[in-house]
Amino acid sequence: METDTTLLSSPIPRAGRREWIGLAVLTLPTLLVSMDATVTYLAIPSLSASLKPTGSQLLWITDIFTFMEGGFLIIMGVLGDRIGRKRLLTIGFVLFSLASVMAAFAGSAIWLIAARAVLGITGAIILPCTLSLIRSMFRDDRERTIAFGIYTACYAGGTMLGPLLGGILLTHFWWGSVFLISVPLMCLFLFASGLLTEYRDVDARQFSLTSAVLLLTGMLSATGGIKHIAESGAFQWRALLSIAAGVVLFSVFVRIQKTIRNPLVNLHLFSIPAFGATLATLFLSLFCWSGLYLFIAQYLQLVRGLAPMQAGLLTLLPAAITMAGCMFAPQMLRWISRTVTIIIGNIIMLTGMLMLTQLETDTHLFLLIAACTCLSLGCGFIVTLGIDLIVSVAPPEQAGAVSGISESSTTFGSALGVALLGSIGTAIYHSHMAAAKTSGISVITEDARNTLGGALAASQQLPAEAGAALLVQARAAFLVSFHSAALIGSIAIVMMVLVFSIAARK
């Protein structure tokens, strides 16, 4: 009897050198996916001039990656449990690199959108496999929290360093070069992947492909309708029908999850107040971060006239502070709770967004750097401890399902942030540019009305005085759209803090 008590009370094994080195190896695919999500931002002006996408196509180029990724995250996580997480991660990394080459040499906007869609699907293989491997490698609660901090720091660093590397490449090469970063990272990962241990769930259950299709098509249908409204500036019946179809598909998806034996999403978890509130906080933080960084990249190049390299260099300080903050966040739990730390992260993000509403064409760039730092640092706090909190409140036997749900929440938040805030910004810009004729500008092309990049290109084809007037009008319209998006995000964050505070007390 004494022996049984000793066995039951034996400590959870702590991670050794192999696990920590394995975590370092897993940073390679993490960096790759995160960099690819933002590396296109600085390439928007040059690829717009080369491929001449419409306003809607331009939004699809930037956000179809995260939409496809989010749609396949859960199903790929379950697939990794069945065939082996390390094996699927390796397959996904190789396919991701091949799709990157496809994007680099795209000859049209449609071809680039297709390549980005493939990148999203393969990215959906990488993220859940990486996170589930970390969960399997680190069993001690404190070590797992620290590992999550490092994981989040690498992801945040990748999203911030993506524009920097993109700026360096765009200074010397064509826009497609930003997609080729994955090739050397893939080679390095394949060389070091032998340090990873394979994990497989021998009792893994089947998953519903029908549910995955409903989730993906519902998202794309609803967002496609929103994009069409933003581009046309009118509520056309086809766009409204597309949105309605998306809502119906989501309703069917939820109903199926309640009835099938092996749902993709366990809806019972949402009965835990802290679980649902934390997921909503994760969703909203990435919604605001991703959507606003789309505006920031264009502001630096098209409003302030910075070269891609200069714009990329401005991300260095925010990236360094954010990575340090993500790694420091687990240490804050020694003094304050996860709930309070997450609320602090929301307040820091709110501060950054309010700073963004004060930007003008001649504002000192220090304000933008400070805003970017607050925006990214607050988001890093939320994601690091939000994932940790979700794991804590969910039943231990559902840890794998929670991993897929948490990743889907952040991914869809990022995707919808680009789509909705980007669409709202496009609509506001379009509406202001439609009134440009009354401001003494007689010739405005459709490209100039759709995007600021199109206006910049059009201004170069006009006489000096007319071109300068067009740029003033376009930049003013862009700033109105930028400020509006930041204000919408600020209001949403304030509401989220109130909801999260109430839910955390239950």
Side-chain angles (χ1 to χ4, degrees):
M1 189 70 178
E2 183 178 350
T3 303
D4 292 339
T5 302
T6 302
L7 289 174
L8 290 173
S9 60
S10 60
I12 296 175
R14 297 178 66 85
R17 180 181 299 177
R18 183 183 181 92
E19 284 74 22
W20 290 109
I21 294 177
L23 178 62
V25 174
L26 290 175
T27 62
L28 295 174
T30 302
L31 282 170
L32 173 62
V33 177
S34 60
M35 284 192 300
D36 199 87
T38 58
V39 74
T40 57
Y41 286 180
L42 288 183
I44 286 175
S46 55
L47 71 84
S48 295
S50 176
L51 303 181
K52 302 187 183 307
T54 65
S56 178
Q57 288 175 335
L58 189 62
L59 287 176
W60 275 119
I61 289 171
T62 56
D63 61 28
I64 195 168
F65 172 87
T66 43
F67 276 108
M68 298 301 290
E69 180 184 72
F72 283 91
L73 266 172
I74 297 177
I75 191 171
M76 290 302 179
V78 176
L79 185 61
D81 290 338
R82 296 179 66 84
I83 71 173
R85 296 160 186 170
K86 174 185 172 182
R87 178 184 301 175
L88 187 61
L89 176 61
T90 303
I91 294 172
F93 207 169
V94 172
L95 293 177
F96 190 98
S97 299
L98 294 176
S100 297
V101 175
M102 172 183 171
F105 296 98
S108 66
I110 297 298
W111 185 255
L112 181 57
I113 291 171
R116 294 283 290 168
V118 177
L119 283 170
I121 297 173
T122 52
I125 297 175
I126 293 173
L127 284 182
C129 288
T130 301
L131 189 55
S132 60
L133 281 171
I134 292 174
R135 291 179 181 274
S136 302
M137 291 159 53
F138 297 92
R139 301 182 182 181
D140 180 77
D141 290 343
R142 179 170 173 78
E143 289 183 337
R144 187 171 61 244
T145 303
I146 294 173
F148 283 150
I150 296 173
Y151 168 84
T152 309
C154 290
Y155 195 93
T159 56
M160 300 296 288
L161 292 175
L164 173 61
L165 293 177
I168 295 174
L169 291 172
L170 289 170
T171 302
H172 302 284
F173 305 102
W174 87 114
W175 61 265
S177 62
V178 300
F179 294 107
L180 299 180
I181 301 173
S182 62
V183 177
L185 287 179
M186 179 195 68
C187 296
L188 185 58
F189 173 80
L190 293 178
F191 176 76
S193 61
L195 297 171
L196 297 175
T197 302
E198 180 66 279
Y199 292 93
R200 181 186 296 109
D201 185 0
V202 295
D203 298 321
R205 300 177 179 180
Q206 294 180 344
F207 56 86
S208 172
L209 183 60
T210 301
S211 297
V213 172
L214 285 171
L215 182 63
L216 177 63
T217 54
M219 177 66 71
L220 293 179
S221 178
T223 307
I226 294 172
K227 286 174 174 294
H228 187 74
I229 290 174
E231 183 183 22
S232 62
F235 290 90
Q236 300 180 358
W237 68 269
R238 290 183 179 178
L240 295 176
L241 183 62
S242 179
I243 295 173
V247 173
V248 171
L249 288 170
F250 279 129
S251 300
V252 174
F253 170 79
V254 172
R255 182 176 295 274
I256 287 179
Q257 301 314 292
K258 294 179 179 179
T259 58
I260 62 176
R261 294 181 57 186
N262 301 312
L264 289 180
V265 177
N266 186 352
L267 299 180
H268 295 293
L269 290 173
F270 291 90
S271 62
I272 305 173
F275 180 86
T278 305
L279 276 179
T281 304
L282 286 172
F283 176 92
L284 187 60
S285 64
L286 268 298
F287 176 93
C288 294
W289 186 93
S290 297
L292 291 177
Y293 257 92
L294 179 64
F295 289 89
I296 290 170
Q298 296 181 74
Y299 172 82
L300 287 172
Q301 293 184 87
L302 302 180
V303 176
R304 301 306 296 266
L306 298 181
M309 178 66 175
Q310 294 173 316
L313 286 173
L314 287 178
T315 67
L316 277 180
L317 181 59
I321 294 176
T322 301
M323 293 177 70
C326 291
M327 299 181 71
F328 178 70
Q331 307 303 322
M332 294 178 66
L333 300 182
R334 297 179 178 180
W335 307 288
I336 55 180
S337 67
R338 292 185 183 91
T339 300
V340 174
T341 308
I342 291 174
I343 292 175
I344 291 173
N346 278 280
I347 294 173
I348 295 173
M349 281 196 73
L350 175 62
T351 302
M353 285 186 281
L354 292 176
M355 289 180 183
L356 292 177
T357 62
Q358 304 304 307
L359 291 177
E360 299 295 341
T361 55
D362 57 350
T363 304
H364 197 287
L365 287 177
F366 175 79
L367 180 63
L368 178 64
I369 294 174
C372 291
T373 300
C374 290
L375 194 64
S376 298
L377 180 61
C379 186
F381 274 30
I382 295 168
V383 173
T384 299
L385 297 182
I387 293 177
D388 189 45
L389 180 58
I390 288 173
V391 173
S392 300
V393 300
E397 65 273 11
Q398 296 178 348
V402 169
S403 175
I405 293 173
S406 63
E407 288 285 357
S408 297
S409 177
T410 55
T411 301
F412 278 127
S414 178
L416 278 175
V418 173
L420 294 183
L421 290 182
S423 295
I424 291 171
T426 300
I428 293 174
Y429 175 86
H430 190 281
S431 124
H432 277 70
M433 289 301 292
K437 289 184 179 179
T438 64
S439 300
I441 304 173
S442 59
V443 180
I444 299 182
T445 65
E446 189 63 28
D447 289 340
R449 289 194 184 97
N450 288 334
T451 65
L452 179 56
L456 179 62
S459 68
Q460 297 172 353
Q461 306 299 320
L462 297 174
E465 185 176 348
L470 175 59
L471 276 183
V472 169
Q473 178 73 29
R475 285 169 174 164
F478 174 81
L479 283 173
V480 172
S481 67
F482 191 0
H483 295 163
S484 300
L487 185 59
I488 291 171
S490 299
I491 296 172
I493 287 290
V494 171
M495 296 177 63
M496 190 68 253
V497 169
L498 295 176
V499 172
F500 181 78
S501 300
I502 294 172
R505 295 178 181 177
K506 297 180 180 180

